């Protein structure tokens, strides 16, 4: 039986930016607005597979792309649309400094085409071309094969002459431009959640560190994510069992790790949970700092795992007897033990009493709503961390 991960209250952004419009909109537009430079291309389906597999021109999985989520029926319907000549939204590519195209929007569509042409799945769930269900590309009859080979996806390639664009009001960085684009593209299809957007806008060492932490064996064990044991060298490989795991597919695992780094800095606990996580995600660290942060996280996670006998961050079973893990209990526990790290030996010696205090808190109707994060305001976050400190060390 799988254990549900209770993420608590949704992220809410309560901050409203007060922007005063310029007195002369025409002058403002002339002096401050920037315009993207782009070109359009059409790629035949076999071309798409070749471009992706060679990896020389098209990078389907840049560091900031989200995880693959489409099911086989979703992929099949795309192929059916192409066969029926139904217009498919264009993909958006970004010209990187490495003279390659990185996928900003359309990853799922490109991957679906590549997988079908490569023979990785058979068509299923087609509502119109039902006789084609069960068909693989290699076994397509001549007319179907020719139709597929003539089908194409249109691509809009965004071109930038430099990493920044100057305007009279400010200098727009590459991250600013990506944020503009993602905000406008993130309106249809499978809408990106806040963590997927953070991941997309903030490539770099810290983002890579978050992902590396989510792959630690103890982390995947506690949160019941299928472990990273495969040795498949294909960078497009997605473990099918992990794809079925909601925490992994939604990048909830990365959000969990980010919560610790966002909340361990008391000065960052302000505004909404969304704003706390957004600010934390923008931090710039070196590779050496990333290794230190990863080691620190691992040590604190291991300590709590041992302290609670291999069952940390648990809530009492619900009315149906299902066990649940609480993201709020997790982040409060991780931040609290980080604050008390110098007292860890004494806390470990007091293990039995710590477990007893935790059990009592979970049965106290006045404390449970605090610990489980039924509110995610700054004051609520501070209070649940304070309650967790008292459970670990009441002195």
């Amino acid at each position: 039986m799988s254990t549900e991960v209770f993420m608590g209250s949704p992220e809410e952004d309560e901050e409203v930016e007060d922007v005063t419009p310029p007195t002369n909109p025409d002058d403002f537009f002339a002096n401050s607005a920037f315009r993207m430079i782009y070109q359009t291309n059409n790629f035949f389906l076999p071309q798409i597979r070749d471009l992706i597999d060679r990896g020389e021109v098209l990078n389907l999985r840049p560091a900031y792309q989200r995880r693959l989520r489409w099911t086989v029926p979703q992929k099949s319907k795309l192929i059916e649309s192409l066969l029926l000549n139904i217009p498919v939204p264009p993909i958006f590519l970004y010209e990187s400094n490495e003279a390659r195209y990185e996928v900003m929007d359309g990853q799922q569509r490109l991957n679906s085409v590549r997988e079908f042409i490569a023979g990785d799945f058979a068509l299923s769930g087609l509502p119109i071309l039902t006789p084609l269900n069960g068909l693989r590309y290699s076994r397509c009859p001549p007319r179907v094969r020719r139709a597929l080979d003539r089908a194409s996806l249109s691509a809009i390639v965004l071109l930038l002459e430099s990493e920044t664009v100057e305007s009279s009001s400010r200098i727009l960085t590459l991250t600013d431009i990506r944020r503009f684009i993602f905000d406008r593209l993130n309106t249809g299809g499978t809408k990106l959640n806040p963590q997927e957007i953070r991941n997309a806008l903030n490539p770099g060492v810290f983002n890579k560190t978050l992902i590396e932490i989510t792959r630690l064996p103890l982390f995947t064990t506690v949160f019941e994510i299928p472990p990273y044991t495969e040795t498949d060298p294909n960078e497009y490989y997605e473990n099918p069992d992990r794809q079925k795991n909601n925490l992994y597919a939604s990048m909830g695992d990365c959000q969990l790790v980010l919560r610790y780094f966002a909340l361990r800095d008391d000065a960052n606990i302000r505004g909404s949970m969304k704003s706390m996580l957004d600010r934390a995600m923008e931090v710039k660290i070196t590779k050496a700092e990333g290794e230190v942060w990863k080691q620190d996280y691992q040590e604190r996670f291991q300590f709590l795992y041992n302290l609670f006998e291999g069952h940390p961050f648990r809530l009492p079973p619900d009315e149906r007897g299902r066990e649940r893990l609480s993201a709020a209990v997790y982040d409060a526990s991780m931040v609290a033990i980080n604050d008390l790290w110098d007292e860890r030996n004494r806390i470990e010696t007091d293990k039995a009493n710590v477990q007893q205090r935790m059990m009592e808190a979970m049965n106290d109707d006045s404390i449970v709503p605090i610990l489980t994060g039924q509110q995610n305001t700054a004051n609520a976050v501070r209070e649940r961390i304070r309650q967790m400190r008292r459970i670990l060390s009441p002195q």
Side-chain angles (χ1 to χ4, degrees):
M1 178 185 297
S2 62
T3 303
E4 179 185 2
V5 180
F6 178 64
M7 297 298 284
S9 299
E11 298 177 21
E12 296 175 356
D13 198 350
E14 301 167 353
E15 298 177 353
V16 179
E17 185 179 0
D18 183 17
V19 179
T20 303
T23 55
N24 190 324
D26 198 51
D27 288 344
F28 177 79
F29 175 77
N31 297 324
S32 301
F34 72 93
R35 296 190 181 187
M36 298 299 303
I37 303 170
Y38 68 89
Q39 65 185 29
T40 58
N41 290 317
N42 285 307
F43 295 107
F44 292 113
L45 302 198
Q47 279 183 296
I48 291 173
R49 181 196 59 182
D50 293 341
L51 287 172
I52 294 171
D53 288 347
R54 285 204 306 266
E56 297 171 359
V57 178
L58 183 60
N59 181 12
L60 178 61
R61 298 292 299 277
Y64 54 80
Q65 263 294 1
R66 67 182 181 185
R67 288 158 180 169
L68 301 175
R69 282 208 235 171
W70 274 17
T71 63
V72 170
Q74 285 177 299
K75 298 172 186 177
S76 299
K77 286 178 182 177
L78 172 67
I79 302 301
E80 183 181 52
S81 295
L82 294 169
L83 284 170
L84 295 171
N85 203 30
I86 295 173
V88 173
I91 59 175
F92 283 77
L93 306 177
Y94 180 86
E95 187 180 46
S96 70
N97 291 335
E98 290 77 23
R100 299 174 74 196
Y101 296 148
E102 294 186 355
V103 181
M104 297 196 72
D105 186 66
Q107 179 198 27
Q108 311 281 355
R109 276 164 278 160
L110 286 169
N111 184 69
S112 299
V113 168
R114 176 196 161 273
E115 286 189 349
F116 183 67
I117 300 295
D120 292 347
F121 70 91
L123 299 175
S124 69
L126 300 184
I128 299 175
L129 301 177
T130 52
L132 272 59
N133 283 318
L135 197 64
R136 292 182 182 271
Y137 178 76
S138 60
R139 297 189 176 182
C140 286
R143 289 184 181 178
V144 175
R145 182 74 167 263
R146 287 196 296 270
L148 285 171
D149 290 349
R150 289 197 303 264
S152 64
L153 284 178
S154 61
I156 295 176
V157 184
L158 304 171
L159 306 171
L160 281 180
E161 297 178 353
S162 65
E163 290 193 356
T164 62
V165 176
E166 294 188 18
S167 70
S168 62
S169 56
R170 60 172 173 154
I171 295 178
L172 298 173
T173 66
L174 192 59
T175 299
D176 293 328
I177 294 166
R178 278 178 173 158
R179 182 174 284 110
F180 282 128
I181 296 169
F182 270 92
D183 179 61
R184 284 152 180 76
L185 294 182
N186 188 31
T187 56
T190 304
K191 190 176 178 66
L192 275 69
N193 63 45
Q195 185 57 35
E196 289 173 323
I197 295 173
R198 291 185 199 104
N199 176 64
L201 295 175
N202 299 281
V205 175
F206 182 54
N207 196 359
K208 183 178 179 181
T209 300
L210 296 181
I211 293 171
E212 288 177 352
I213 290 173
T214 66
R215 297 182 177 187
L216 293 172
L218 195 60
F219 185 93
T220 59
T221 296
V222 169
F223 290 108
E224 298 187 358
I225 298 170
Y228 292 79
T229 57
E230 63 275 357
T231 57
D232 193 308
N234 185 348
E235 66 177 315
Y236 307 115
Y237 175 77
E238 287 273 10
N239 181 295
D241 291 330
R242 274 199 299 276
Q243 282 185 293
K244 297 174 186 176
N245 182 281
N246 184 62
L247 199 61
Y248 169 84
S250 65
M251 300 199 82
D253 53 349
C254 295
Q255 192 224 61
L256 284 170
V257 178
L258 178 62
R259 285 168 77 128
Y260 164 69
F261 290 109
L263 304 183
R264 71 172 181 172
D265 177 9
D266 186 71
N268 189 49
I269 302 178
R270 52 190 171 86
S272 65
M273 176 62 76
K274 180 180 183 300
S275 63
M276 297 178 213
L277 298 179
D278 287 347
R279 285 191 297 268
M281 193 73 187
E282 294 172 358
V283 67
K284 306 299 181 185
I285 61 174
T286 65
K287 187 175 181 180
E289 289 172 326
E291 289 298 323
V292 172
W293 287 21
K294 178 180 174 181
Q295 181 64 31
D296 287 350
Y297 181 97
Q298 192 169 6
E299 290 174 353
R300 285 147 183 76
F301 198 95
Q302 180 75 61
F303 181 86
L304 292 170
Y305 181 83
N306 295 338
L307 186 67
F308 291 101
E309 308 288 354
H311 298 283
F313 326 131
R314 299 269 170 167
L315 297 175
D318 63 11
E319 62 278 1
R320 288 188 284 179
R322 296 179 303 177
E323 287 201 346
R324 296 170 295 164
L325 286 164
S326 168
V329 172
Y330 150 82
D331 63 42
S333 301
M334 288 288 289
V335 174
I337 195 57
N338 182 64
D339 294 342
L340 300 168
W341 193 239
D342 291 341
E343 302 177 36
R344 61 188 180 279
N345 292 334
R346 181 180 56 78
I347 294 172
E348 185 176 19
T349 302
D350 194 39
K351 177 191 288 190
N353 291 324
V354 171
Q355 294 176 1
Q356 180 62 32
R357 289 193 291 271
M358 189 68 176
M359 185 180 302
E360 291 172 355
M362 287 299 176
N363 288 293
D364 188 327
D365 292 340
S366 65
I367 296 179
V368 168
I370 298 172
L371 286 179
T372 56
Q374 294 188 15
Q375 291 185 8
N376 263 333
T377 64
N379 287 337
V381 169
R382 282 200 176 92
E383 179 59 21
R384 73 171 178 249
I385 294 172
R386 188 181 71 83
Q387 290 286 351
M388 199 64 219
R389 283 200 208 100
R390 290 180 57 190
I391 292 171
L392 295 174
S393 178
Q395 297 181 3

